[in-house]
Structure formats: C-alpha cells, structure tokens
Amino acid sequence: MSEVSPVLTVAADGDIRVVTLNRPDRLNGVSEELHRRLSEVWRELADDAGARAVVLTGAGRAFSAGGDFDHLRRHHTDPQLRERSVRLDRTIQTDMIRFPLPVVAAVNGPAVGLGCSLALGCDLVLMAEDAWLADPHVSVGLVAGDGGVTLWPLLTSLLRVKEYLFTGDRIPAATAVELGLANRVVPGDRLMDEALALARRLAAQPAEALRATKAALATVVEQVSRGGMEAALLAERATMTSPDHIRIVDALASRAARPAAAAANNAAGEG
C-alpha cells in the first residue's frame, strides 16, 4: 500500500501503516497541501480495516521544521487562508486525540512548531539521539495554537511548559525524555526498526481493550484541553497579521533565501 499525495505518504508494513511527512528538500516544512493532508489522513486511516497501528515519521534529516515560510507569509494578506488554517489545525488536533489506533512517533530529526505538535500528539514518542523539539510560535510573534497549549500541560509541568513555549528553546532528545515529552531515545540508525517493533507489539494487543483504553484517555485529554485549544487557535489567528509576526517572518524568510541564492549564483558561475 502506498497512497495519498507526494507530500504525505502512507505505506503498509503488514498491519502497520507508516505515515511519512515527505518534503525532505524543505525539511518537511508544512505547506498548504501538507497541512490539508494532515487534516485528512487520520480519518482515512481510521477507516482502514487492515490497520492496527501507525508510525509517524519524516523523510530525510528532519521530522518537520514547522511552517513553510512561503505558506506563512500568505497568511499575512489572505483572510480566507487564515480561517482555513485555523479550521485545519482544530481538525488535526481533534482527530489525533480521537484516533482509535495507537500511533508511534519516530522523531528522526528536528520537530518544530506544528511538527513538534504532531510528534507530541502521538501515543508514544521515540526520538533519535540528535533529534530535538521546539515550539517557537511566540518567538515568531504567534500564539502557540496548533498544539502547544493543548498538549504540553498534559505531559509535563506547567512551569516547564511556560519556559519552553515562552522562549522557543530547543529541547534535546534526552531532555525531552526527562520532561515526559518523549518515551525514549534511540540511535538514529535503529529508530525506524524500534518504532516498527513497538507498533507491532501494540498491534498484537487485544484490539478492543486497547481501543477502549485509548478512547477513555482521549476523553480525559479533550475535557482538560478543549477550552485552551479553542482560545489558543483564535488567538493564533489574530496574531497571524500582527506587525511583530510579519516583521520576524519576513526577516527569517530573507535570511533563508540568501544561501539558496548564493548557491544558484555559484552554480551559474561554474556552468
């Protein structure tokens, strides 16, 4: 089985489904298409009668670097896109919480912003030794609406949540385990093997008991997080047009474009 779109692939390994964020040339940054597919894939997998567990990972050297700069900048002037993005973020968070099958995150590299939220929205989180988490929403002038407010307070202390959401600092893999944001650190060359082995173990558990247990836990998550999720999503939408956000994203996008332009000029000179 291999389906969906080029930016998000789903492959079958027996009764395990491997979902891969597949924009490796952009460090799996979230484009409009990838954002949309992330809002659709969980219901599609829930309807897959042959699936018993899921592994979520990224192609290349990143899990996901968060929002793609081109996509972020379009939000500055497109109110319909802003509304759509908030709706998609709400769907992604809700569908991952309610998803009936166990999901193992294989965090193979940086998991930033929405990428971080996707990883922490999984049931179990394995991280490569050189992987790290970060939610820099505040640092780029946004409210952490796509998962930070919803998930982090359920996983670690509120003091640590505030420290890392307010500063956007990186959380190395070993620290993530200490904080309760990941289950364990795995050598990079063993990450997928370990993730698949764990998914197979979960898939072999009595399905009804596992699903019902996960559903009960999902009820707890929704009861605790629903108000915070909605408040954060609406506040994030408001900050998408803030002067701070526009200024910071424009500066970051310009800085990121310089190496690419230099490389193109060098290639032209060598041609």
Side-chain angles (χ1 to χ4, degrees):
M1 175 182 175
S2 181
E3 58 177 346
V4 195
S5 76
V7 300
L8 183 76
T9 64
V10 180
D13 186 328
D15 54 8
I16 310 302
R17 300 295 178 262
V18 179
V19 178
T20 304
L21 310 177
N22 191 40
R23 301 184 74 220
D25 57 322
R26 303 298 291 268
L27 300 179
N28 302 318
V30 179
S31 62
E32 184 171 8
E33 181 184 5
L34 181 53
H35 203 197
R36 176 181 59 80
R37 289 300 302 137
L38 285 165
S39 75
E40 298 168 342
V41 69
W42 303 105
R43 294 189 186 189
E44 294 169 356
L45 289 168
D47 291 336
D48 182 348
R52 293 289 297 271
V54 175
V55 173
L56 177 65
T57 194
R61 58 193 180 91
F63 183 81
S64 172
D68 180 270
F69 284 132
D70 292 339
H71 186 44
L72 287 174
R73 293 173 93 175
R74 286 182 54 217
H75 287 78
H76 300 166
T77 57
D78 188 337
Q80 291 184 336
L81 179 60
R82 293 194 293 272
E83 292 292 336
R84 187 161 60 249
S85 290
V86 168
R87 185 173 67 250
L88 295 180
D89 281 334
R90 184 185 294 112
T91 298
I92 292 166
Q93 291 183 67
T94 302
D95 285 359
M96 289 191 75
I97 291 169
R98 296 176 181 174
F99 185 64
L101 304 179
V103 184
V104 178
V107 183
N108 54 305
V112 182
L114 179 55
C116 182
S117 296
L118 291 169
L120 298 187
C122 296
D123 299 298
L124 299 172
V125 181
L126 306 186
M127 295 184 67
E129 292 169 318
D130 59 351
W132 47 272
L133 307 174
D135 192 329
H137 274 76
V138 171
S139 297
V140 299
L142 287 174
V143 171
D146 62 22
V149 170
T150 305
L151 298 169
W152 289 41
L154 293 163
L155 301 173
T156 190
S157 81
L158 192 58
L159 287 173
R160 303 311 292 270
V161 171
K162 290 177 180 178
E163 176 183 356
Y164 286 107
L165 288 185
F166 291 179
T167 66
D169 285 350
R170 295 183 182 186
I171 306 173
T175 304
V177 173
E178 293 173 8
L179 292 173
L181 299 176
N183 293 90
R184 61 178 181 265
V185 181
V186 179
D189 60 355
R190 292 285 305 160
L191 179 65
M192 280 305 297
D193 288 341
E194 293 278 349
L196 286 167
L198 182 54
R200 291 188 188 105
R201 181 179 177 188
L202 297 174
Q205 291 283 76
E208 183 178 356
L210 181 58
R211 289 188 184 209
T213 300
K214 180 170 178 178
L217 290 168
T219 300
V220 174
V221 174
E222 288 199 80
Q223 287 177 343
V224 172
S225 67
R226 179 170 294 164
M229 179 197 299
E230 197 61 26
L233 285 169
L234 297 180
E236 182 179 19
R237 181 184 62 189
T239 53
M240 287 175 182
T241 56
S242 71
D244 279 340
H245 176 59
I246 293 171
R247 171 180 54 80
I248 293 168
V249 169
D250 284 348
L252 289 172
S254 297
R255 191 182 311 161
R258 287 189 209 116
N265 290 334
N266 289 338
E270 292 169 0

